[in-house]
Amino acid sequence: MVQLVEERPYRWRIEPEGGMRVPGVVFATRELLPDPSEDQALAQVAAVATLRGIVEAAYAMPDMHWGYGFPIGGVAATDVAAGGVVSPGGVGFDISCGVRLLLADLHVDDLRPRLDKLMDALDVSVPRGMRKGAVWRLHSQAELENILAGGARYAVERGHGEPGDLERCEDRGAVADADPAGIGSRARERGLQQVGSLGSGNHFLEVEAVADVYDEEIAEAYGLWQGRVCVMIHTGSRGLGHQICTDAVKTMQAAMTRYGISVPDRQLACAPVESHEGRAYLAAMAAAANYGRANRQLLGQAARQAFDRVTGHGDLTLLYDVSHNLAKLETHQVDGGTRRLCVHRKGATLALPPGHADLPPDLRPVGQPVLVPGSMGVGSYVLAGVPGGPAFASACHGAGRRLSRHQAVKTTSAATLRAELERAGIAVRGASARGLTEETPQAYKDLDAVVEVCVQAGLARKVAKLAPVGVVKG
DNA sequence: ATGTAC
């Protein structure tokens, strides 16, 4: 049983004990903490703190909940030079799952009369669900390799977007150190079929409108004016990333004894960053990251075409595209020294502070847009990275699941949910009954409360809230 | 999250 101490408001501590090398630090209010009788996420934070090379603390965001090995909402950094490990469970099965936000040159009042037509167009042009179909049909492994190496940049080179899009993508659309060589044939086969598809679960494409502005200066820099229509796309690397994770976990479980590594949970399988298995995973993960970015690039382009056909405003501007399931090699100050760290963010969004060199020049003065999708019908937040964040420049990634999918379907029905959304003026397209019910907002934490913790804990700044107008679900 | 199962 994990003992939690409230260090100060919005910040809880798990003292190191047993094999823990560092404390656990959880950003939350009492109400947002998981209930240990139903959700093992706090025990998972303590388990992550045992990993070789971990520095500072095993962190958890206020939207944390139980995941595979690591909690979702977890942030853990290991010191590469000190034999620090990389763990596929610290990234998650949906490698490079993330969010892209595009801005239309359109006020929501002017969209309303054509909303149904727009949603019908998106319904047709956004492949999703378990069934086959994707925007881009690949014919060869060579073509897939270009995506794995070039990400959104390759998609844009092939005409699926505008060069300016890349300035607003994390890593400018492509991670440099991707190497498809180590990716298995099964992952490749799955990847061939799904570039430009949404998937299912909590993935979605949502039409939204700016409803509240909290920080005028940053909102202006981001282009978020009251009533502005936006498109938020939440998806990842589909079956390809899933297969790469599955393969790497298996490989590392077999390799750990060779490196003298033992972990309290088999799902925490890991290998030193500087090992054959560690390097191979990071190279394959980077390739999946590029696949995920190309995927969102293609779906953004599909949205542009639908907007163009229906509203004549196809010129959607990309605000930002950022992953919330990724491990990155980054340089941070730890204990007064500069260290090269492998930072795992699983259900945690990168949140670069103002002035950071990785930001495009026009965003550098205000910090990185942090995109936080809420549950269905609740809307989303745009936050901004702040200086001196306490968890390696990370923030929350969403509302955070509170009930399991199984529990969620018992609370309501698809018909009820659909009626509630429509009564609230939100158009819904193409969700399976089961999928829709599993995503009921009752199954999620209170997004406003989660975001407030991020602000109060110094993780990010509130910029604007987006209200949902129409949702396309898998 | 996921051809919801090796």
Side-chain angles (χ1 to χ4, degrees), chain A residues 190 201-202 238 405:
Chain A
R190 295 177 74 171
N202 63 0
R238 308 284 279 107
R405 295 186 175 280

mmCIF file of all heavy atoms in Angstrom, chain A residues 190 201-202 238 405, chain B residues 1-4 6:
data_model
loop_
_atom_site.group_PDB
_atom_site.id
_atom_site.type_symbol
_atom_site.label_atom_id
_atom_site.label_comp_id
_atom_site.label_asym_id
_atom_site.label_seq_id
_atom_site.Cartn_x
_atom_site.Cartn_y
_atom_site.Cartn_z
ATOM 1 N N ARG A 190 1.175 -4.126 -40.957
ATOM 2 C CA ARG A 190 0.064 -3.378 -40.366
ATOM 3 C C ARG A 190 0.148 -1.905 -40.757
ATOM 4 O O ARG A 190 -0.870 -1.260 -40.983
ATOM 5 C CB ARG A 190 0.078 -3.549 -38.837
ATOM 6 C CG ARG A 190 -0.195 -4.981 -38.413
ATOM 7 C CD ARG A 190 -0.100 -5.169 -36.912
ATOM 8 N NE ARG A 190 -1.247 -4.605 -36.200
ATOM 9 C CZ ARG A 190 -1.475 -4.786 -34.913
ATOM 10 N NH1 ARG A 190 -0.632 -5.496 -34.176
ATOM 11 N NH2 ARG A 190 -2.529 -4.268 -34.341
ATOM 12 N N GLY A 201 -11.394 4.014 -29.899
ATOM 13 C CA GLY A 201 -11.132 4.368 -28.497
ATOM 14 C C GLY A 201 -11.331 5.852 -28.276
ATOM 15 O O GLY A 201 -12.355 6.408 -28.678
ATOM 16 N N ASN A 202 -10.351 6.496 -27.642
ATOM 17 C CA ASN A 202 -10.527 7.935 -27.373
ATOM 18 C C ASN A 202 -10.038 8.817 -28.527
ATOM 19 O O ASN A 202 -10.005 10.036 -28.407
ATOM 20 C CB ASN A 202 -9.835 8.323 -26.052
ATOM 21 C CG ASN A 202 -8.331 8.115 -26.088
ATOM 22 O OD1 ASN A 202 -7.781 7.673 -27.102
ATOM 23 N ND2 ASN A 202 -7.663 8.413 -25.006
ATOM 24 N N ARG A 238 -1.344 3.820 -34.668
ATOM 25 C CA ARG A 238 -2.194 2.673 -35.033
ATOM 26 C C ARG A 238 -1.515 1.320 -34.792
ATOM 27 O O ARG A 238 -0.781 1.164 -33.840
ATOM 28 C CB ARG A 238 -2.663 2.823 -36.488
ATOM 29 C CG ARG A 238 -3.311 4.176 -36.821
ATOM 30 C CD ARG A 238 -4.726 4.294 -36.299
ATOM 31 N NE ARG A 238 -5.671 3.639 -37.196
ATOM 32 C CZ ARG A 238 -6.291 2.492 -36.940
ATOM 33 N NH1 ARG A 238 -6.037 1.844 -35.808
ATOM 34 N NH2 ARG A 238 -7.149 1.999 -37.775
ATOM 35 N N ARG A 405 -13.378 0.910 -19.291
ATOM 36 C CA ARG A 405 -14.327 0.842 -20.405
ATOM 37 C C ARG A 405 -15.533 -0.023 -20.039
ATOM 38 O O ARG A 405 -16.665 0.280 -20.381
ATOM 39 C CB ARG A 405 -13.628 0.294 -21.648
ATOM 40 C CG ARG A 405 -12.551 1.231 -22.148
ATOM 41 C CD ARG A 405 -11.916 0.809 -23.449
ATOM 42 N NE ARG A 405 -10.983 1.858 -23.853
ATOM 43 C CZ ARG A 405 -11.343 2.983 -24.452
ATOM 44 N NH1 ARG A 405 -12.603 3.189 -24.754
ATOM 45 N NH2 ARG A 405 -10.456 3.895 -24.759
ATOM 46 P P DA B 1 -8.221 5.039 -26.006
ATOM 47 O OP1 DA B 1 -9.260 5.518 -26.769
ATOM 48 O OP2 DA B 1 -7.901 5.070 -24.665
ATOM 49 O "O5'" DA B 1 -7.338 4.000 -26.820
ATOM 50 C "C5'" DA B 1 -6.986 4.321 -28.142
ATOM 51 C "C4'" DA B 1 -5.672 3.696 -28.487
ATOM 52 O "O4'" DA B 1 -5.095 3.198 -27.290
ATOM 53 C "C3'" DA B 1 -5.797 2.492 -29.443
ATOM 54 O "O3'" DA B 1 -5.554 2.958 -30.758
ATOM 55 C "C2'" DA B 1 -4.661 1.581 -29.003
ATOM 56 C "C1'" DA B 1 -4.448 1.970 -27.546
ATOM 57 N N9 DA B 1 -4.995 0.980 -26.612
ATOM 58 C C8 DA B 1 -6.149 1.029 -25.883
ATOM 59 N N7 DA B 1 -6.337 -0.019 -25.131
ATOM 60 C C5 DA B 1 -5.232 -0.821 -25.389
ATOM 61 C C6 DA B 1 -4.827 -2.081 -24.911
ATOM 62 N N6 DA B 1 -5.547 -2.768 -24.018
ATOM 63 N N1 DA B 1 -3.669 -2.585 -25.386
ATOM 64 C C2 DA B 1 -2.980 -1.876 -26.287
ATOM 65 N N3 DA B 1 -3.251 -0.693 -26.805
ATOM 66 C C4 DA B 1 -4.400 -0.214 -26.314
ATOM 67 P P DT B 2 -6.170 2.325 -31.983
ATOM 68 O OP1 DT B 2 -5.521 2.855 -33.196
ATOM 69 O OP2 DT B 2 -7.612 2.434 -31.797
ATOM 70 O "O5'" DT B 2 -5.745 0.795 -31.794
ATOM 71 C "C5'" DT B 2 -4.392 0.381 -31.972
ATOM 72 C "C4'" DT B 2 -4.417 -1.121 -31.922
ATOM 73 O "O4'" DT B 2 -4.262 -1.573 -30.563
ATOM 74 C "C3'" DT B 2 -5.756 -1.713 -32.336
ATOM 75 O "O3'" DT B 2 -5.964 -1.611 -33.717
ATOM 76 C "C2'" DT B 2 -5.607 -3.106 -31.738
ATOM 77 C "C1'" DT B 2 -4.946 -2.798 -30.382
ATOM 78 N N1 DT B 2 -5.941 -2.655 -29.272
ATOM 79 C C2 DT B 2 -5.881 -3.536 -28.222
ATOM 80 O O2 DT B 2 -5.051 -4.413 -28.164
ATOM 81 N N3 DT B 2 -6.834 -3.351 -27.261
ATOM 82 C C4 DT B 2 -7.830 -2.386 -27.250
ATOM 83 O O4 DT B 2 -8.628 -2.326 -26.343
ATOM 84 C C5 DT B 2 -7.840 -1.496 -28.385
ATOM 85 C C7 DT B 2 -8.881 -0.411 -28.468
ATOM 86 C C6 DT B 2 -6.900 -1.671 -29.333
ATOM 87 P P DG B 3 -5.287 -2.670 -34.803
ATOM 88 O OP1 DG B 3 -4.099 -3.366 -34.329
ATOM 89 O OP2 DG B 3 -5.286 -1.776 -35.877
ATOM 90 O "O5'" DG B 3 -6.451 -3.718 -35.082
ATOM 91 C "C5'" DG B 3 -6.662 -4.781 -34.241
ATOM 92 C "C4'" DG B 3 -7.341 -5.847 -35.082
ATOM 93 O "O4'" DG B 3 -6.661 -6.001 -36.332
ATOM 94 C "C3'" DG B 3 -7.233 -7.242 -34.467
ATOM 95 O "O3'" DG B 3 -8.309 -7.401 -33.548
ATOM 96 C "C2'" DG B 3 -7.399 -8.153 -35.673
ATOM 97 C "C1'" DG B 3 -6.853 -7.305 -36.831
ATOM 98 N N9 DG B 3 -5.572 -7.795 -37.404
ATOM 99 C C8 DG B 3 -5.367 -8.273 -38.682
ATOM 100 N N7 DG B 3 -4.135 -8.631 -38.921
ATOM 101 C C5 DG B 3 -3.480 -8.388 -37.722
ATOM 102 C C6 DG B 3 -2.119 -8.570 -37.370
ATOM 103 O O6 DG B 3 -1.192 -9.002 -38.079
ATOM 104 N N1 DG B 3 -1.864 -8.195 -36.065
ATOM 105 C C2 DG B 3 -2.802 -7.700 -35.201
ATOM 106 N N2 DG B 3 -2.391 -7.408 -33.986
ATOM 107 N N3 DG B 3 -4.068 -7.506 -35.523
ATOM 108 C C4 DG B 3 -4.345 -7.867 -36.793
ATOM 109 P P DT B 4 -8.395 -8.437 -32.374
ATOM 110 O OP1 DT B 4 -7.212 -9.320 -32.330
ATOM 111 O OP2 DT B 4 -9.734 -8.986 -32.570
ATOM 112 O "O5'" DT B 4 -8.395 -7.550 -31.028
ATOM 113 C "C5'" DT B 4 -7.585 -7.922 -29.914
ATOM 114 C "C4'" DT B 4 -8.227 -7.472 -28.611
ATOM 115 O "O4'" DT B 4 -8.726 -6.145 -28.767
ATOM 116 C "C3'" DT B 4 -9.470 -8.293 -28.220
ATOM 117 O "O3'" DT B 4 -9.110 -9.506 -27.621
ATOM 118 C "C2'" DT B 4 -10.193 -7.298 -27.309
ATOM 119 C "C1'" DT B 4 -9.942 -5.980 -28.037
ATOM 120 N N1 DT B 4 -11.038 -5.594 -28.982
ATOM 121 C C2 DT B 4 -11.627 -4.354 -28.792
ATOM 122 O O2 DT B 4 -11.314 -3.605 -27.893
ATOM 123 N N3 DT B 4 -12.617 -4.053 -29.706
ATOM 124 C C4 DT B 4 -13.049 -4.854 -30.776
ATOM 125 O O4 DT B 4 -13.937 -4.467 -31.539
ATOM 126 C C5 DT B 4 -12.387 -6.128 -30.897
ATOM 127 C C7 DT B 4 -12.794 -7.055 -32.020
ATOM 128 C C6 DT B 4 -11.429 -6.423 -30.008
ATOM 129 P P DC B 6 -2.297 -12.064 -29.112
ATOM 130 O OP1 DC B 6 -1.705 -10.795 -29.542
ATOM 131 O OP2 DC B 6 -2.932 -12.935 -30.110
ATOM 132 O "O5'" DC B 6 -1.210 -12.896 -28.292
ATOM 133 C "C5'" DC B 6 -1.593 -13.568 -27.096
ATOM 134 C "C4'" DC B 6 -0.634 -14.735 -26.884
ATOM 135 O "O4'" DC B 6 -1.175 -15.902 -27.529
ATOM 136 C "C3'" DC B 6 0.749 -14.513 -27.489
ATOM 137 O "O3'" DC B 6 1.651 -14.117 -26.457
ATOM 138 C "C2'" DC B 6 1.130 -15.861 -28.040
ATOM 139 C "C1'" DC B 6 -0.217 -16.498 -28.394
ATOM 140 N N1 DC B 6 -0.691 -16.292 -29.795
ATOM 141 C C2 DC B 6 0.095 -16.724 -30.845
ATOM 142 O O2 DC B 6 1.165 -17.298 -30.618
ATOM 143 N N3 DC B 6 -0.339 -16.505 -32.099
ATOM 144 C C4 DC B 6 -1.499 -15.885 -32.338
ATOM 145 N N4 DC B 6 -1.876 -15.701 -33.586
ATOM 146 C C5 DC B 6 -2.316 -15.430 -31.267
ATOM 147 C C6 DC B 6 -1.873 -15.641 -30.040
#
